[in-house]
Amino acid sequence: TSTEVDAAISIDGEHSGLKHGDKVRVLTGTAAHVATALIWGDRKAISEGKAFVRLRFDTPVIVHTKQRGVLRRLSPAQTLGGLQIVDPAPARMKRRDPLRLSVFEAVETSDVLSLTKALCDASKGVASLRDLKRLLGGQQEAVNEVALDGFEPIRPGHVARIETVTEAKDAFLEALSGSLERNPAQTARPASELNASLASTFAEPLLDHVARTLLETGALTGSLNALALPDRDPFENLSKVRRQKIAHIETALR
């Protein structure tokens, strides 16, 4: 069951259309439910044509991907148009997000690769196979194909585009190099610090996967709590004054 559903609607233009926040009656199967229609994108009123909406129901409903239905006004009781369920159990997201709209469009085409790419783009590079299966209406065979064509598993149930993984690796190494340059006396930095600096671009599961892969391949040394560049000598980056202080300390120790 779900109290929020994403749907593609088609308004026939015979009546006054649909405004953001309107109460509507949704007819699917043999059921009739009242919902608030929240228009995705710029939230402009729809007088005629197609749009995507988030339907927020007063009571839990059961629908499935691609299920069709009818949209009616509560009062007066007018038929506004038809609808087709795009996501029967969506996560809470900003309705102005253009990347979410690309997911809706991919669902309509039923192209598994296009949909997986759209999910990756909408979630900072990572697609959940559970979301993919739900949006495909439970087609497990189609989901199984994803790992064979341009996508890399990053943890159980999640994949990323191979090119995005490469971009994340480059960004991770650059972030580490920049952090060490700003802190020349440091020999290593924690993965959590680098993840935070890249969080606006890449999802955390992707960054965790990248850090572990770079350690496994030898591109980084140390551990997740202390990542270091194998070819970096921190002593070479110290200023003349710092070197003199070290020499003084070494002399005193001897």
Side-chain angles (χ1 to χ4, degrees):
T1 61
S2 177
T3 55
E4 294 193 3
V5 168
D6 287 328
I9 63 170
S10 181
I11 303 298
D12 60 19
E14 182 179 345
H15 302 292
S16 58
L18 182 71
K19 292 185 293 185
H20 182 78
D22 276 356
K23 285 279 189 179
V24 294
R25 193 176 305 281
V26 179
L27 310 177
T28 56
T30 60
H33 297 278
V34 175
T36 301
L38 306 172
I39 301 172
W40 278 89
D42 55 17
R43 302 183 181 182
K44 290 182 180 178
I46 309 164
S47 57
E48 186 175 12
K50 177 183 171 183
F52 294 103
V53 298
R54 169 69 57 91
L55 297 172
R56 185 169 293 164
F57 292 91
D58 295 342
T59 57
V61 300
I62 298 176
V63 292
H64 60 80
T65 305
K66 296 295 182 77
Q67 184 173 357
R68 295 186 180 277
V70 177
L71 200 65
R72 304 202 74 198
R73 190 179 300 285
L74 293 184
S75 180
Q78 301 168 335
T79 297
L80 296 173
L83 66 88
Q84 186 173 32
I85 303 301
V86 176
D87 191 342
R92 288 186 175 272
M93 298 181 74
K94 295 179 180 178
R95 284 181 297 280
R96 295 181 185 273
D97 186 358
L99 295 176
R100 182 65 176 168
L101 292 176
S102 68
V103 172
F104 296 157
E105 292 165 358
V107 170
E108 292 195 301
T109 67
S110 296
D111 183 80
V112 62
L113 296 180
S114 297
L115 178 54
T116 310
K117 290 176 182 178
L119 285 172
C120 286
D121 293 341
S123 302
K124 298 181 183 179
V126 176
S128 163
L129 297 185
R130 181 178 180 181
D131 289 343
L132 179 62
K133 182 178 178 180
R134 183 181 72 251
L135 294 172
L136 289 171
Q139 300 177 40
Q140 185 61 52
E141 297 80 7
V143 173
N144 294 340
E145 294 176 6
V146 173
L148 305 177
D149 196 348
F151 294 89
E152 180 176 327
I154 60 168
R155 72 176 185 184
H158 294 79
V159 297
R161 299 171 70 175
I162 291 175
E163 54 264 40
T164 303
V165 175
T166 300
E167 293 171 5
K169 287 179 181 178
D170 293 341
F172 198 89
L173 290 171
E174 185 177 344
L176 176 58
S177 179
S179 180
L180 291 174
E181 286 179 6
R182 292 188 296 273
N183 301 276
Q186 298 289 331
T187 58
R189 306 302 292 171
S192 57
E193 174 192 295
L194 304 174
N195 285 4
S197 69
L198 299 170
S200 62
T201 306
F202 301 104
E204 186 174 351
L206 176 56
L207 294 173
D208 289 342
H209 170 74
V210 162
R212 289 186 172 85
T213 301
L214 291 173
L215 282 171
E216 291 170 1
T217 59
L220 293 178
T221 60
S223 67
L224 292 176
N225 293 325
L227 294 169
L229 296 170
D231 57 350
R232 178 181 181 273
D233 181 359
F235 190 81
E236 294 179 354
N237 296 311
L238 295 179
S239 65
K240 183 178 180 180
V241 173
R242 285 177 177 263
R243 289 170 182 261
Q244 290 174 344
K245 288 182 178 180
I246 287 177
H248 178 73
I249 292 171
E250 288 180 339
T251 301
L253 288 172
R254 289 194 186 98

PDB file of all heavy atoms in Angstrom, residues 192-208:
ATOM      1  N   SER A 192      35.823   9.675   5.189  1.00  0.00           N
ATOM      2  CA  SER A 192      34.617  10.432   5.528  1.00  0.00           C
ATOM      3  C   SER A 192      34.747  11.902   5.144  1.00  0.00           C
ATOM      4  O   SER A 192      33.781  12.531   4.704  1.00  0.00           O
ATOM      5  CB  SER A 192      34.329  10.314   7.030  1.00  0.00           C
ATOM      6  OG  SER A 192      35.441  10.769   7.792  1.00  0.00           O
ATOM      7  N   GLU A 193      35.956  12.449   5.288  1.00  0.00           N
ATOM      8  CA  GLU A 193      36.182  13.848   4.914  1.00  0.00           C
ATOM      9  C   GLU A 193      36.035  14.036   3.401  1.00  0.00           C
ATOM     10  O   GLU A 193      35.430  15.003   2.934  1.00  0.00           O
ATOM     11  CB  GLU A 193      37.583  14.280   5.352  1.00  0.00           C
ATOM     12  CG  GLU A 193      37.968  15.684   4.871  1.00  0.00           C
ATOM     13  CD  GLU A 193      39.447  15.968   5.066  1.00  0.00           C
ATOM     14  OE1 GLU A 193      39.878  16.024   6.237  1.00  0.00           O
ATOM     15  OE2 GLU A 193      40.170  16.123   4.060  1.00  0.00           O
ATOM     16  N   LEU A 194      36.589  13.103   2.631  1.00  0.00           N
ATOM     17  CA  LEU A 194      36.517  13.192   1.180  1.00  0.00           C
ATOM     18  C   LEU A 194      35.089  12.962   0.700  1.00  0.00           C
ATOM     19  O   LEU A 194      34.626  13.629  -0.234  1.00  0.00           O
ATOM     20  CB  LEU A 194      37.469  12.171   0.553  1.00  0.00           C
ATOM     21  CG  LEU A 194      38.926  12.296   1.018  1.00  0.00           C
ATOM     22  CD1 LEU A 194      39.755  11.148   0.461  1.00  0.00           C
ATOM     23  CD2 LEU A 194      39.512  13.627   0.583  1.00  0.00           C
ATOM     24  N   ASN A 195      34.381  12.024   1.333  1.00  0.00           N
ATOM     25  CA  ASN A 195      32.982  11.791   0.978  1.00  0.00           C
ATOM     26  C   ASN A 195      32.151  13.053   1.162  1.00  0.00           C
ATOM     27  O   ASN A 195      31.306  13.384   0.327  1.00  0.00           O
ATOM     28  CB  ASN A 195      32.393  10.671   1.833  1.00  0.00           C
ATOM     29  CG  ASN A 195      32.875   9.294   1.413  1.00  0.00           C
ATOM     30  OD1 ASN A 195      33.713   9.169   0.525  1.00  0.00           O
ATOM     31  ND2 ASN A 195      32.367   8.266   2.051  1.00  0.00           N
ATOM     32  N   ALA A 196      32.386  13.756   2.264  1.00  0.00           N
ATOM     33  CA  ALA A 196      31.630  14.977   2.547  1.00  0.00           C
ATOM     34  C   ALA A 196      31.898  16.046   1.497  1.00  0.00           C
ATOM     35  O   ALA A 196      30.987  16.783   1.099  1.00  0.00           O
ATOM     36  CB  ALA A 196      31.984  15.495   3.943  1.00  0.00           C
ATOM     37  N   SER A 197      33.133  16.132   1.020  1.00  0.00           N
ATOM     38  CA  SER A 197      33.476  17.157   0.026  1.00  0.00           C
ATOM     39  C   SER A 197      32.884  16.862  -1.344  1.00  0.00           C
ATOM     40  O   SER A 197      32.727  17.771  -2.165  1.00  0.00           O
ATOM     41  CB  SER A 197      34.996  17.286  -0.089  1.00  0.00           C
ATOM     42  OG  SER A 197      35.569  16.131  -0.686  1.00  0.00           O
ATOM     43  N   LEU A 198      32.530  15.598  -1.605  1.00  0.00           N
ATOM     44  CA  LEU A 198      31.993  15.199  -2.912  1.00  0.00           C
ATOM     45  C   LEU A 198      30.516  14.834  -2.856  1.00  0.00           C
ATOM     46  O   LEU A 198      29.943  14.405  -3.861  1.00  0.00           O
ATOM     47  CB  LEU A 198      32.784  14.003  -3.452  1.00  0.00           C
ATOM     48  CG  LEU A 198      34.279  14.232  -3.700  1.00  0.00           C
ATOM     49  CD1 LEU A 198      34.976  12.911  -4.006  1.00  0.00           C
ATOM     50  CD2 LEU A 198      34.488  15.222  -4.845  1.00  0.00           C
ATOM     51  N   ALA A 199      29.894  15.023  -1.693  1.00  0.00           N
ATOM     52  CA  ALA A 199      28.520  14.547  -1.480  1.00  0.00           C
ATOM     53  C   ALA A 199      27.494  15.225  -2.378  1.00  0.00           C
ATOM     54  O   ALA A 199      26.443  14.657  -2.658  1.00  0.00           O
ATOM     55  CB  ALA A 199      28.129  14.736  -0.018  1.00  0.00           C
ATOM     56  N   SER A 200      27.786  16.432  -2.840  1.00  0.00           N
ATOM     57  CA  SER A 200      26.820  17.129  -3.689  1.00  0.00           C
ATOM     58  C   SER A 200      26.770  16.556  -5.098  1.00  0.00           C
ATOM     59  O   SER A 200      25.820  16.805  -5.845  1.00  0.00           O
ATOM     60  CB  SER A 200      27.157  18.623  -3.753  1.00  0.00           C
ATOM     61  OG  SER A 200      28.446  18.818  -4.329  1.00  0.00           O
ATOM     62  N   THR A 201      27.792  15.784  -5.472  1.00  0.00           N
ATOM     63  CA  THR A 201      27.874  15.242  -6.830  1.00  0.00           C
ATOM     64  C   THR A 201      27.660  13.737  -6.883  1.00  0.00           C
ATOM     65  O   THR A 201      27.019  13.225  -7.815  1.00  0.00           O
ATOM     66  CB  THR A 201      29.248  15.572  -7.442  1.00  0.00           C
ATOM     67  OG1 THR A 201      29.478  16.982  -7.359  1.00  0.00           O
ATOM     68  CG2 THR A 201      29.312  15.140  -8.900  1.00  0.00           C
ATOM     69  N   PHE A 202      28.201  13.019  -5.893  1.00  0.00           N
ATOM     70  CA  PHE A 202      28.148  11.558  -5.923  1.00  0.00           C
ATOM     71  C   PHE A 202      27.480  11.011  -4.661  1.00  0.00           C
ATOM     72  O   PHE A 202      27.681  11.542  -3.566  1.00  0.00           O
ATOM     73  CB  PHE A 202      29.562  10.969  -6.044  1.00  0.00           C
ATOM     74  CG  PHE A 202      30.310  11.413  -7.273  1.00  0.00           C
ATOM     75  CD1 PHE A 202      31.314  12.366  -7.183  1.00  0.00           C
ATOM     76  CD2 PHE A 202      30.000  10.885  -8.518  1.00  0.00           C
ATOM     77  CE1 PHE A 202      32.006  12.784  -8.309  1.00  0.00           C
ATOM     78  CE2 PHE A 202      30.689  11.294  -9.653  1.00  0.00           C
ATOM     79  CZ  PHE A 202      31.696  12.246  -9.554  1.00  0.00           C
ATOM     80  N   ALA A 203      26.716   9.935  -4.831  1.00  0.00           N
ATOM     81  CA  ALA A 203      26.054   9.293  -3.696  1.00  0.00           C
ATOM     82  C   ALA A 203      27.087   8.603  -2.812  1.00  0.00           C
ATOM     83  O   ALA A 203      28.119   8.132  -3.285  1.00  0.00           O
ATOM     84  CB  ALA A 203      25.028   8.277  -4.194  1.00  0.00           C
ATOM     85  N   GLU A 204      26.794   8.527  -1.522  1.00  0.00           N
ATOM     86  CA  GLU A 204      27.734   7.943  -0.564  1.00  0.00           C
ATOM     87  C   GLU A 204      28.083   6.489  -0.881  1.00  0.00           C
ATOM     88  O   GLU A 204      29.261   6.106  -0.790  1.00  0.00           O
ATOM     89  CB  GLU A 204      27.181   8.057   0.853  1.00  0.00           C
ATOM     90  CG  GLU A 204      28.165   7.598   1.919  1.00  0.00           C
ATOM     91  CD  GLU A 204      27.680   7.850   3.325  1.00  0.00           C
ATOM     92  OE1 GLU A 204      26.650   8.527   3.490  1.00  0.00           O
ATOM     93  OE2 GLU A 204      28.329   7.368   4.281  1.00  0.00           O
ATOM     94  N   PRO A 205      27.109   5.628  -1.274  1.00  0.00           N
ATOM     95  CA  PRO A 205      27.489   4.248  -1.615  1.00  0.00           C
ATOM     96  C   PRO A 205      28.502   4.173  -2.754  1.00  0.00           C
ATOM     97  O   PRO A 205      29.379   3.303  -2.756  1.00  0.00           O
ATOM     98  CB  PRO A 205      26.156   3.611  -2.017  1.00  0.00           C
ATOM     99  CG  PRO A 205      25.122   4.425  -1.334  1.00  0.00           C
ATOM    100  CD  PRO A 205      25.649   5.823  -1.323  1.00  0.00           C
ATOM    101  N   LEU A 206      28.389   5.086  -3.719  1.00  0.00           N
ATOM    102  CA  LEU A 206      29.331   5.115  -4.830  1.00  0.00           C
ATOM    103  C   LEU A 206      30.720   5.517  -4.345  1.00  0.00           C
ATOM    104  O   LEU A 206      31.733   4.915  -4.736  1.00  0.00           O
ATOM    105  CB  LEU A 206      28.842   6.086  -5.904  1.00  0.00           C
ATOM    106  CG  LEU A 206      29.767   6.316  -7.093  1.00  0.00           C
ATOM    107  CD1 LEU A 206      30.125   5.011  -7.785  1.00  0.00           C
ATOM    108  CD2 LEU A 206      29.126   7.291  -8.082  1.00  0.00           C
ATOM    109  N   LEU A 207      30.797   6.517  -3.468  1.00  0.00           N
ATOM    110  CA  LEU A 207      32.088   6.964  -2.944  1.00  0.00           C
ATOM    111  C   LEU A 207      32.731   5.883  -2.073  1.00  0.00           C
ATOM    112  O   LEU A 207      33.947   5.690  -2.117  1.00  0.00           O
ATOM    113  CB  LEU A 207      31.905   8.259  -2.151  1.00  0.00           C
ATOM    114  CG  LEU A 207      31.473   9.476  -2.982  1.00  0.00           C
ATOM    115  CD1 LEU A 207      31.157  10.660  -2.074  1.00  0.00           C
ATOM    116  CD2 LEU A 207      32.564   9.862  -3.977  1.00  0.00           C
ATOM    117  N   ASP A 208      31.927   5.166  -1.297  1.00  0.00           N
ATOM    118  CA  ASP A 208      32.467   4.062  -0.493  1.00  0.00           C
ATOM    119  C   ASP A 208      33.053   2.983  -1.398  1.00  0.00           C
ATOM    120  O   ASP A 208      34.134   2.440  -1.124  1.00  0.00           O
ATOM    121  CB  ASP A 208      31.362   3.453   0.381  1.00  0.00           C
ATOM    122  CG  ASP A 208      30.938   4.377   1.509  1.00  0.00           C
ATOM    123  OD1 ASP A 208      31.704   5.310   1.832  1.00  0.00           O
ATOM    124  OD2 ASP A 208      29.835   4.184   2.053  1.00  0.00           O
TER     125      ASP A 208
END
